[in-house]
Amino acid sequence: MKRFKQIFIAFFILFSFLFIINNEPSIIAQQTATEASTGFDNQSNGLTDAATHKKNLEGFAEVEGIKDGIGPVFNSFSCGECHSNPVIGGSSQITELRAGHFDGQKFIEHPGGSLIQSRAIDASIVEKVLEGNEVRALRLSLSILGDGFIEAIDDAVLLDIAKQQPNLSGGKINGQALWVPIEEAPGVMRIGRFGWKSQQASLLSFSGDAYTNEMGITTPLFPIENTSNGKSVGKFDNLTDPDEEDNDDIDGFTEFMRATKPPSRDQQLANTSSALAGETVFNNMGCAICHVSTFKTLPAGFKINGSTFTITPALGDKIIHPYSDFLLHDIGTGDGIVQNGGQETRNKIRTVPLWGLRTRNRFMHDGLSLTVNESILRHSGTATSVIDKYRTLSKKQKQQVLTFLNSL
Ligand code: HEC
Ligand code: HEC
């Protein structure tokens, strides 16, 4: 019996030892995760060398003309025009217009698609909102800085956040993770994370979409030209579609975006006692349930977007602080538009990442809140019980929260 006990103990020790050895790689992997370097400095995060980044940046900011395929209907002449503050790739004050009709059960897109292009190369084809399309929405330009790291977040992480969101007195904070198609990998779906509706998961898909829909330049990935309110504009189009014979331009935009650094904190403010206290209040109130501060990206070598992109060391195992869960929420600000999601997404908006907040002077999807305080007070719906806590803060605590937000 005693012998039996000794053998048992010996085996126990051996197995524990093997277990520890076996687990070591994951312990090492955790230790190697490092903070992504940040900055509004137009420099590469290391994905590409400085010369390639400069070339890609110039491509992103390049003003295109009609002979390059601009229009016939479009919104602007370059990616950089709407993504430029405070450096190329940031946000801007430019808004876009979307419209459609709600028949009591479902959203029906405006003829020609819910995006109403605001410019055209001929006076007769400028798109208008037609009668009967009572759902109208403005959408503010978003920043793309640091988006390569967001693309490198695992679906499972986003699904897990959605699952863990708590039941509060005002109801469940039930962020919705949306499966969206990867255009460059037909049949593959991933959790959306880009755009006000989390309507895209891949930066290449977003680039192809934006080149066609913002600028009117079609590519093999997005070969179909827009219409004017549903009517063909072919007679104003001198180029045969796709305007670009290859996907080189959108590959360049994608590489540029993947190589950008995330926004940096305001170093003067970030470590003040007021900002530090403000972040604690922010967390304690429950703002961080949706505005999640910290993520770790997938490791280098991991393939995403249907194996069309392999995460490199510049993007892999990096720690970032976007202050978003990238999920859709009904906080009472929904714009009634459905994109890449079901009817239940109509009145939901993605939690906007708060990094880089201090560079913006218009807030929320429509840009119609003009101070940070107003944008916070505009949250209702599933955010009500959290915002009620904000309302009852002392003047000093409120100031601390705003100081923290202004340091982002
Ligand atoms: C007319 C202004 C305008 C132009 C031109 C434009 N964008 Fe945008 N961009 C926007 C707006 C507005 C949004 C938010 C759209 C939405 O979700 O409805 C956006 C969102 C994005 C996003 C999502 C960012 C995120 O983190 O969620 C990406 C990526 C992007 N644009 C890339 C591009 C690229 C690449 C080009 C050039 C081919 C381009 N954009 C041209 C206005 C513009
Ligand atoms: C239930 C999820 C949720 C909670 C809780 C929440 N937010 Fe938000 N927040 C959002 C969403 C979604 C948006 C975007 C809404 C829109 O554009 O219509 C947003 C937008 C914002 C914006 C505007 C940023 C910009 O660039 O436009 C600020 C600032 C903000 N939230 C701060 C806070 C603070 C502070 C708290 C806590 C008191 C909080 N939020 C709690 C989901 C949430």
Side-chain angles (χ1 to χ4, degrees), residues 73 111-112 117 120 124-128 226-233:
V73 293
Q117 275 85 10
S124 63
I125 52 171
V126 179
E127 287 201 292
K128 310 278 164 51
N226 272 291
T227 60
S228 174
N229 288 158
K231 296 201 189 76
S232 167
V233 290

Side-chain angles (χ1 to χ4, degrees), residues 18-83:
L18 285 175
F19 181 78
I20 291 166
I21 294 189
N22 238 343
N23 272 281
E24 209 168 37
S26 73
I27 294 169
I28 290 171
Q30 267 173 20
Q31 281 170 348
T32 56
T34 51
E35 289 281 333
S37 68
T38 59
F40 291 115
D41 59 8
N42 282 331
Q43 301 300 309
S44 165
N45 60 28
L47 180 81
T48 52
D49 59 44
T52 308
H53 193 56
K54 183 164 181 286
K55 187 183 92 237
N56 285 338
L57 183 151
E58 283 164 5
F60 186 87
E62 187 178 333
V63 174
E64 305 284 355
I66 295 173
K67 65 171 184 1
D68 306 309
I70 281 286
V73 293
F74 68 109
N75 278 325
S76 198
F77 297 95
S78 79
C79 311
E81 243 175 301
C82 300
H83 298 285

Side-chain angles (χ1 to χ4, degrees), residues 168-211:
L168 300 180
S169 56
K172 172 132 178 72
I173 299 217
N174 52 350
Q176 183 185 353
L178 198 65
W179 290 100
V180 299
I182 302 294
E183 301 296 338
E184 62 272 30
V188 174
M189 307 284 272
R190 236 187 141 213
I191 299 293
R193 56 202 69 196
F194 299 120
W196 287 104
K197 288 279 185 177
S198 282
Q199 66 265 32
Q200 295 285 4
S202 139
L203 290 172
L204 180 57
S205 297
F206 214 119
S207 296
D209 185 324
Y211 215 19

Side-chain angles (χ1 to χ4, degrees), residues 68-72 216-219 223 225 237 239-245:
D68 306 309
I70 281 286
I217 301 184
T218 51
T219 53
E225 194 72 77
D237 193 359
L239 298 178
T240 26
D241 289 312
D243 297 330
E244 295 289 329
E245 60 188 22

Side-chain angles (χ1 to χ4, degrees), residues 96-100 114 135-139 335-337 365-366:
E96 291 171 2
L97 181 57
R98 284 194 181 260
S114 73
V135 181
R136 295 101 192 252
L138 292 175
R139 294 274 182 83
D335 63 4
I337 308 277
H365 67 277
D366 49 16

Side-chain angles (χ1 to χ4, degrees), residues 253-264:
F253 304 151
T254 304
E255 194 174 59
F256 165 69
M257 297 194 285
R258 284 179 178 151
T260 55
K261 291 183 186 174
S264 55

